[in-house]
Amino acid sequence: QVQLVESGGGLVQPGGSLRLSCATSGRIFSIYHMGWYRQAPGKQRELVTNITTSGRANHADSVKGRFLISRDIAKNTVYLQMNSLKPEDTGVYFCNARASSFPTVSYWGQGTQVTVSA
């Protein structure tokens, strides 16, 4: 079973930076696509960015040029570097692992709070 543990959230002022980490339970990157989602109060959980088993990354339009997903395969860890943070980036950020083949099961971390406020 895949286990995911996020860390690195906190309070930051607009324009600041944070790096989130997602520690995984093993060498899963060849089997699972990895992603970061976020959920603001009163809103649906949305995809922020993901990276496929082949290393292809994509980002939501709202974070392009500011956020970057990356993997450290040796450490079994996924990162989300967040720069030029805006108040609208506030929310709970979740790490996700999604199987690359049938059955397409997903696993979620517990979430980490990111608050961007002046």
Side-chain angles (χ1 to χ4, degrees):
Q1 185 175 10
V2 173
Q3 293 185 325
L4 309 170
V5 181
E6 302 102 327
S7 62
L11 175 64
V12 64
Q13 65 180 359
S17 298
L18 285 174
R19 188 177 74 162
L20 307 183
S21 298
C22 174
T24 73
S25 55
R27 299 203 297 266
I28 67 171
F29 297 151
S30 64
I31 303 171
Y32 293 89
H33 307 306
M34 306 301 300
W36 288 96
Y37 291 71
R38 69 186 180 191
Q39 186 168 21
K43 295 186 177 181
Q44 294 181 269
R45 186 175 299 185
E46 64 176 349
L47 175 66
V48 177
T49 179
N50 67 358
I51 186 166
T52 69
T53 55
S54 64
R56 178 187 176 187
N58 57 77
H59 300 77
D61 288 341
S62 60
V63 305
K64 284 182 178 177
R66 300 189 298 120
F67 291 11
L68 180 66
I69 189 171
S70 63
R71 307 179 300 184
D72 188 325
I73 296 175
K75 295 182 178 180
N76 303 315
T77 301
V78 180
Y79 301 97
L80 179 62
Q81 179 65 48
M82 304 186 295
N83 300 319
S84 302
L85 283 160
K86 305 175 181 179
E88 51 263 43
D89 294 320
T90 294
V92 179
Y93 283 69
F94 298 90
C95 185
N96 170 262
R98 178 169 59 88
S100 60
S101 62
F102 183 86
T104 311
V105 63
S106 286
Y107 297 89
W108 296 90
Q110 81 286 355
T112 185
Q113 176 71 42
V114 173
T115 302
V116 184
S117 177

